[in-house]
PDB file of all heavy atoms in Angstrom:
ATOM      1  N   LEU A 451     -13.473 -14.808  17.231  1.00 98.00           N
ATOM      2  CA  LEU A 451     -12.390 -14.343  16.352  1.00 98.00           C
ATOM      3  C   LEU A 451     -11.109 -15.200  16.678  1.00 98.00           C
ATOM      4  O   LEU A 451     -10.725 -16.160  15.931  1.00 98.00           O
ATOM      5  CB  LEU A 451     -12.142 -12.823  16.441  1.00 98.00           C
ATOM      6  CG  LEU A 451     -11.148 -12.311  15.318  1.00 98.00           C
ATOM      7  CD1 LEU A 451     -11.674 -12.452  14.065  1.00 98.00           C
ATOM      8  CD2 LEU A 451     -10.943 -10.877  15.626  1.00 98.00           C
ATOM      9  N   ALA A 452     -10.366 -14.834  17.730  1.00 98.00           N
ATOM     10  CA  ALA A 452      -9.157 -15.567  18.131  1.00 98.00           C
ATOM     11  C   ALA A 452      -9.175 -15.999  19.544  1.00 98.00           C
ATOM     12  O   ALA A 452      -9.845 -15.553  20.331  1.00 98.00           O
ATOM     13  CB  ALA A 452      -7.915 -14.588  17.961  1.00 98.00           C
ATOM     14  N   ALA A 453      -8.606 -17.214  19.705  1.00 98.00           N
ATOM     15  CA  ALA A 453      -8.365 -17.718  21.081  1.00 98.00           C
ATOM     16  C   ALA A 453      -7.008 -18.155  21.170  1.00 98.00           C
ATOM     17  O   ALA A 453      -6.216 -18.430  20.095  1.00 98.00           O
ATOM     18  CB  ALA A 453      -9.372 -18.924  21.233  1.00 98.00           C
ATOM     19  N   TYR A 454      -6.402 -18.358  22.414  1.00 98.00           N
ATOM     20  CA  TYR A 454      -5.166 -18.761  22.575  1.00 98.00           C
ATOM     21  C   TYR A 454      -5.086 -19.863  23.752  1.00 98.00           C
ATOM     22  O   TYR A 454      -5.935 -19.814  24.682  1.00 98.00           O
ATOM     23  CB  TYR A 454      -4.212 -17.640  23.163  1.00 98.00           C
ATOM     24  CG  TYR A 454      -4.283 -16.463  22.286  1.00 98.00           C
ATOM     25  CD1 TYR A 454      -5.330 -15.402  22.496  1.00 98.00           C
ATOM     26  CD2 TYR A 454      -3.393 -16.149  21.135  1.00 98.00           C
ATOM     27  CE1 TYR A 454      -5.388 -14.328  21.613  1.00 98.00           C
ATOM     28  CE2 TYR A 454      -3.479 -15.108  20.316  1.00 98.00           C
ATOM     29  CZ  TYR A 454      -4.465 -14.187  20.563  1.00 98.00           C
ATOM     30  OH  TYR A 454      -4.609 -13.091  19.707  1.00 98.00           O
ATOM     31  N   LEU A 455      -4.146 -20.869  23.699  1.00 98.00           N
ATOM     32  CA  LEU A 455      -4.030 -21.751  24.842  1.00 98.00           C
ATOM     33  C   LEU A 455      -2.648 -22.198  24.968  1.00 98.00           C
ATOM     34  O   LEU A 455      -1.807 -22.284  24.038  1.00 98.00           O
ATOM     35  CB  LEU A 455      -4.921 -22.953  24.560  1.00 98.00           C
ATOM     36  CG  LEU A 455      -4.571 -24.003  23.587  1.00 98.00           C
ATOM     37  CD1 LEU A 455      -3.847 -25.154  24.207  1.00 98.00           C
ATOM     38  CD2 LEU A 455      -5.832 -24.537  22.992  1.00 98.00           C
ATOM     39  N   TYR A 456      -2.166 -22.449  26.151  1.00 98.00           N
ATOM     40  CA  TYR A 456      -0.864 -22.968  26.539  1.00 98.00           C
ATOM     41  C   TYR A 456      -1.000 -24.170  27.333  1.00 98.00           C
ATOM     42  O   TYR A 456      -1.619 -24.390  28.357  1.00 98.00           O
ATOM     43  CB  TYR A 456      -0.188 -21.817  27.341  1.00 98.00           C
ATOM     44  CG  TYR A 456       0.561 -20.829  26.540  1.00 98.00           C
ATOM     45  CD1 TYR A 456      -0.235 -19.745  25.900  1.00 98.00           C
ATOM     46  CD2 TYR A 456       1.961 -20.870  26.324  1.00 98.00           C
ATOM     47  CE1 TYR A 456       0.440 -18.842  25.059  1.00 98.00           C
ATOM     48  CE2 TYR A 456       2.519 -19.911  25.472  1.00 98.00           C
ATOM     49  CZ  TYR A 456       1.807 -18.892  24.880  1.00 98.00           C
ATOM     50  OH  TYR A 456       2.380 -18.016  24.040  1.00 98.00           O
ATOM     51  N   SER A 457      -0.177 -25.116  26.662  1.00 98.00           N
ATOM     52  CA  SER A 457      -0.108 -26.486  27.301  1.00 98.00           C
ATOM     53  C   SER A 457       1.076 -27.194  26.677  1.00 98.00           C
ATOM     54  O   SER A 457       1.254 -27.011  25.403  1.00 98.00           O
ATOM     55  CB  SER A 457      -1.405 -27.390  27.040  1.00 98.00           C
ATOM     56  OG  SER A 457      -1.036 -28.678  27.310  1.00 98.00           O
ATOM     57  N   LYS A 458       1.858 -27.925  27.471  1.00 98.00           N
ATOM     58  CA  LYS A 458       3.141 -28.628  26.821  1.00 98.00           C
ATOM     59  C   LYS A 458       2.614 -29.808  26.099  1.00 98.00           C
ATOM     60  O   LYS A 458       3.341 -30.392  25.257  1.00 98.00           O
ATOM     61  CB  LYS A 458       4.033 -28.954  27.953  1.00 98.00           C
ATOM     62  CG  LYS A 458       4.907 -27.867  28.266  1.00 98.00           C
ATOM     63  CD  LYS A 458       6.110 -28.229  29.247  1.00 98.00           C
ATOM     64  CE  LYS A 458       6.273 -27.303  30.358  1.00 98.00           C
ATOM     65  NZ  LYS A 458       6.714 -28.006  31.586  1.00 98.00           N
ATOM     66  N   ASP A 459       1.357 -30.224  26.366  1.00 98.00           N
ATOM     67  CA  ASP A 459       0.766 -31.393  25.712  1.00 98.00           C
ATOM     68  C   ASP A 459       0.061 -31.080  24.490  1.00 98.00           C
ATOM     69  O   ASP A 459      -1.064 -30.631  24.351  1.00 98.00           O
ATOM     70  CB  ASP A 459      -0.214 -32.047  26.733  1.00 98.00           C
ATOM     71  CG  ASP A 459      -0.870 -33.396  26.161  1.00 98.00           C
ATOM     72  OD1 ASP A 459      -0.595 -33.645  24.943  1.00 98.00           O
ATOM     73  OD2 ASP A 459      -1.467 -34.163  26.906  1.00 98.00           O
ATOM     74  N   LEU A 460       0.779 -31.288  23.269  1.00 98.00           N
ATOM     75  CA  LEU A 460       0.381 -30.851  22.025  1.00 98.00           C
ATOM     76  C   LEU A 460      -0.969 -31.476  21.595  1.00 98.00           C
ATOM     77  O   LEU A 460      -1.854 -30.923  20.976  1.00 98.00           O
ATOM     78  CB  LEU A 460       1.419 -30.876  20.927  1.00 98.00           C
ATOM     79  CG  LEU A 460       1.266 -30.065  19.707  1.00 98.00           C
ATOM     80  CD1 LEU A 460       0.947 -28.575  19.986  1.00 98.00           C
ATOM     81  CD2 LEU A 460       2.421 -30.107  18.797  1.00 98.00           C
ATOM     82  N   LYS A 461      -0.973 -32.801  21.893  1.00 98.00           N
ATOM     83  CA  LYS A 461      -2.211 -33.619  21.452  1.00 98.00           C
ATOM     84  C   LYS A 461      -3.502 -32.902  22.146  1.00 98.00           C
ATOM     85  O   LYS A 461      -4.379 -32.771  21.542  1.00 98.00           O
ATOM     86  CB  LYS A 461      -1.931 -35.044  21.911  1.00 98.00           C
ATOM     87  CG  LYS A 461      -3.075 -35.929  21.515  1.00 98.00           C
ATOM     88  CD  LYS A 461      -2.625 -37.369  21.761  1.00 98.00           C
ATOM     89  CE  LYS A 461      -3.826 -38.284  21.694  1.00 98.00           C
ATOM     90  NZ  LYS A 461      -3.550 -39.589  22.350  1.00 98.00           N
ATOM     91  N   LYS A 462      -3.267 -32.714  23.451  1.00 98.00           N
ATOM     92  CA  LYS A 462      -4.441 -32.094  24.212  1.00 98.00           C
ATOM     93  C   LYS A 462      -4.714 -30.705  23.651  1.00 98.00           C
ATOM     94  O   LYS A 462      -5.864 -30.351  23.403  1.00 98.00           O
ATOM     95  CB  LYS A 462      -3.922 -31.964  25.720  1.00 98.00           C
ATOM     96  CG  LYS A 462      -4.873 -31.177  26.583  1.00 98.00           C
ATOM     97  CD  LYS A 462      -4.382 -31.410  28.030  1.00 98.00           C
ATOM     98  CE  LYS A 462      -4.442 -30.003  28.684  1.00 98.00           C
ATOM     99  NZ  LYS A 462      -3.762 -30.009  30.063  1.00 98.00           N
ATOM    100  N   GLY A 463      -3.670 -29.950  23.293  1.00 98.00           N
ATOM    101  CA  GLY A 463      -3.862 -28.581  22.805  1.00 98.00           C
ATOM    102  C   GLY A 463      -4.602 -28.627  21.497  1.00 98.00           C
ATOM    103  O   GLY A 463      -5.450 -27.846  21.289  1.00 98.00           O
ATOM    104  N   LEU A 464      -4.229 -29.513  20.650  1.00 98.00           N
ATOM    105  CA  LEU A 464      -4.997 -29.597  19.342  1.00 98.00           C
ATOM    106  C   LEU A 464      -6.374 -29.987  19.458  1.00 98.00           C
ATOM    107  O   LEU A 464      -7.296 -29.485  18.861  1.00 98.00           O
ATOM    108  CB  LEU A 464      -4.259 -30.539  18.485  1.00 98.00           C
ATOM    109  CG  LEU A 464      -2.998 -29.926  17.774  1.00 98.00           C
ATOM    110  CD1 LEU A 464      -2.050 -31.051  17.196  1.00 98.00           C
ATOM    111  CD2 LEU A 464      -3.287 -28.921  16.728  1.00 98.00           C
ATOM    112  N   LYS A 465      -6.577 -30.940  20.454  1.00 98.00           N
ATOM    113  CA  LYS A 465      -7.990 -31.429  20.700  1.00 98.00           C
ATOM    114  C   LYS A 465      -8.813 -30.300  21.218  1.00 98.00           C
ATOM    115  O   LYS A 465     -10.018 -30.104  20.851  1.00 98.00           O
ATOM    116  CB  LYS A 465      -8.006 -32.510  21.708  1.00 98.00           C
ATOM    117  CG  LYS A 465      -7.852 -33.894  21.203  1.00 98.00           C
ATOM    118  CD  LYS A 465      -8.054 -34.855  22.363  1.00 98.00           C
ATOM    119  CE  LYS A 465      -8.116 -36.339  21.930  1.00 98.00           C
ATOM    120  NZ  LYS A 465      -8.040 -37.248  23.020  1.00 98.00           N
ATOM    121  N   ILE A 466      -8.259 -29.467  22.131  1.00 98.00           N
ATOM    122  CA  ILE A 466      -9.031 -28.327  22.638  1.00 98.00           C
ATOM    123  C   ILE A 466      -9.213 -27.209  21.650  1.00 98.00           C
ATOM    124  O   ILE A 466     -10.336 -26.698  21.535  1.00 98.00           O
ATOM    125  CB  ILE A 466      -8.335 -27.760  23.878  1.00 98.00           C
ATOM    126  CG1 ILE A 466      -8.236 -28.832  24.995  1.00 98.00           C
ATOM    127  CG2 ILE A 466      -8.923 -26.522  24.416  1.00 98.00           C
ATOM    128  CD1 ILE A 466      -7.445 -28.502  26.233  1.00 98.00           C
ATOM    129  N   ALA A 467      -8.198 -27.069  20.775  1.00 98.00           N
ATOM    130  CA  ALA A 467      -8.353 -25.997  19.798  1.00 98.00           C
ATOM    131  C   ALA A 467      -9.411 -26.317  18.815  1.00 98.00           C
ATOM    132  O   ALA A 467     -10.244 -25.511  18.342  1.00 98.00           O
ATOM    133  CB  ALA A 467      -6.976 -25.968  18.883  1.00 98.00           C
ATOM    134  N   GLU A 468      -9.688 -27.553  18.608  1.00 98.00           N
ATOM    135  CA  GLU A 468     -10.813 -27.992  17.669  1.00 98.00           C
ATOM    136  C   GLU A 468     -12.227 -27.738  18.321  1.00 98.00           C
ATOM    137  O   GLU A 468     -13.242 -27.546  17.678  1.00 98.00           O
ATOM    138  CB  GLU A 468     -10.705 -29.449  17.228  1.00 98.00           C
ATOM    139  CG  GLU A 468      -9.543 -29.608  16.266  1.00 98.00           C
ATOM    140  CD  GLU A 468      -9.557 -30.996  15.578  1.00 98.00           C
ATOM    141  OE1 GLU A 468     -10.242 -31.953  16.020  1.00 98.00           O
ATOM    142  OE2 GLU A 468      -8.776 -31.090  14.594  1.00 98.00           O
ATOM    143  N   LYS A 469     -12.231 -27.757  19.684  1.00 98.00           N
ATOM    144  CA  LYS A 469     -13.491 -27.429  20.338  1.00 98.00           C
ATOM    145  C   LYS A 469     -13.710 -26.103  20.549  1.00 98.00           C
ATOM    146  O   LYS A 469     -14.906 -25.688  20.997  1.00 98.00           O
ATOM    147  CB  LYS A 469     -13.526 -28.273  21.760  1.00 98.00           C
ATOM    148  CG  LYS A 469     -13.617 -29.738  21.575  1.00 98.00           C
ATOM    149  CD  LYS A 469     -13.704 -30.474  22.901  1.00 98.00           C
ATOM    150  CE  LYS A 469     -13.559 -31.855  22.764  1.00 98.00           C
ATOM    151  NZ  LYS A 469     -13.050 -32.597  23.887  1.00 98.00           N
ATOM    152  N   LEU A 470     -12.692 -25.223  20.349  1.00 98.00           N
ATOM    153  CA  LEU A 470     -12.915 -23.768  20.599  1.00 98.00           C
ATOM    154  C   LEU A 470     -13.717 -23.115  19.373  1.00 98.00           C
ATOM    155  O   LEU A 470     -13.165 -23.447  18.264  1.00 98.00           O
ATOM    156  CB  LEU A 470     -11.568 -23.149  20.900  1.00 98.00           C
ATOM    157  CG  LEU A 470     -10.888 -23.455  22.136  1.00 98.00           C
ATOM    158  CD1 LEU A 470      -9.530 -22.934  22.259  1.00 98.00           C
ATOM    159  CD2 LEU A 470     -11.696 -22.929  23.381  1.00 98.00           C
ATOM    160  N   GLU A 471     -14.772 -22.445  19.658  1.00 98.00           N
ATOM    161  CA  GLU A 471     -15.541 -21.993  18.495  1.00 98.00           C
ATOM    162  C   GLU A 471     -14.896 -20.499  18.026  1.00 98.00           C
ATOM    163  O   GLU A 471     -15.509 -19.482  18.383  1.00 98.00           O
ATOM    164  CB  GLU A 471     -16.958 -21.734  18.959  1.00 98.00           C
ATOM    165  CG  GLU A 471     -17.610 -23.013  19.255  1.00 98.00           C
ATOM    166  CD  GLU A 471     -18.927 -22.905  20.005  1.00 98.00           C
ATOM    167  OE1 GLU A 471     -19.290 -21.844  20.471  1.00 98.00           O
ATOM    168  OE2 GLU A 471     -19.602 -23.977  20.290  1.00 98.00           O
ATOM    169  N   TYR A 472     -13.862 -20.623  17.377  1.00 98.00           N
ATOM    170  CA  TYR A 472     -13.074 -19.477  17.039  1.00 98.00           C
ATOM    171  C   TYR A 472     -12.511 -19.670  15.633  1.00 98.00           C
ATOM    172  O   TYR A 472     -12.154 -20.858  15.209  1.00 98.00           O
ATOM    173  CB  TYR A 472     -11.947 -19.150  18.027  1.00 98.00           C
ATOM    174  CG  TYR A 472     -12.536 -18.590  19.315  1.00 98.00           C
ATOM    175  CD1 TYR A 472     -12.987 -19.489  20.255  1.00 98.00           C
ATOM    176  CD2 TYR A 472     -12.701 -17.174  19.485  1.00 98.00           C
ATOM    177  CE1 TYR A 472     -13.569 -18.879  21.452  1.00 98.00           C
ATOM    178  CE2 TYR A 472     -13.301 -16.780  20.673  1.00 98.00           C
ATOM    179  CZ  TYR A 472     -13.688 -17.653  21.574  1.00 98.00           C
ATOM    180  OH  TYR A 472     -14.239 -17.209  22.728  1.00 98.00           O
ATOM    181  N   GLY A 473     -12.334 -18.619  14.855  1.00 98.00           N
ATOM    182  CA  GLY A 473     -11.850 -18.714  13.533  1.00 98.00           C
ATOM    183  C   GLY A 473     -10.256 -18.963  13.552  1.00 98.00           C
ATOM    184  O   GLY A 473      -9.739 -19.545  12.709  1.00 98.00           O
ATOM    185  N   MET A 474      -9.649 -18.536  14.597  1.00 98.00           N
ATOM    186  CA  MET A 474      -8.129 -18.698  14.839  1.00 98.00           C
ATOM    187  C   MET A 474      -7.788 -19.041  16.132  1.00 98.00           C
ATOM    188  O   MET A 474      -8.452 -18.477  17.156  1.00 98.00           O
ATOM    189  CB  MET A 474      -7.475 -17.292  14.371  1.00 98.00           C
ATOM    190  CG  MET A 474      -7.892 -16.822  13.014  1.00 98.00           C
ATOM    191  SD  MET A 474      -7.206 -15.253  12.608  1.00 98.00           S
ATOM    192  CE  MET A 474      -8.327 -14.183  13.568  1.00 98.00           C
ATOM    193  N   VAL A 475      -6.919 -20.105  16.341  1.00 98.00           N
ATOM    194  CA  VAL A 475      -6.448 -20.475  17.710  1.00 98.00           C
ATOM    195  C   VAL A 475      -4.895 -20.445  17.653  1.00 98.00           C
ATOM    196  O   VAL A 475      -4.321 -21.044  16.750  1.00 98.00           O
ATOM    197  CB  VAL A 475      -6.962 -21.918  17.988  1.00 98.00           C
ATOM    198  CG1 VAL A 475      -6.543 -22.271  19.407  1.00 98.00           C
ATOM    199  CG2 VAL A 475      -8.527 -21.884  17.985  1.00 98.00           C
TER     200      VAL A 475
END
Side-chain angles (χ1 to χ4, degrees):
L451 192 62
Y454 309 87
L455 73 92
Y456 273 76
S457 163
K458 279 190 221 149
D459 181 347
L460 197 52
K461 184 174 166 191
K462 171 174 137 187
L464 283 164
K465 272 187 170 170
I466 295 172
E468 289 192 344
K469 289 184 188 157
L470 292 172
E471 295 165 353
Y472 290 83
M474 302 174 284
V475 182

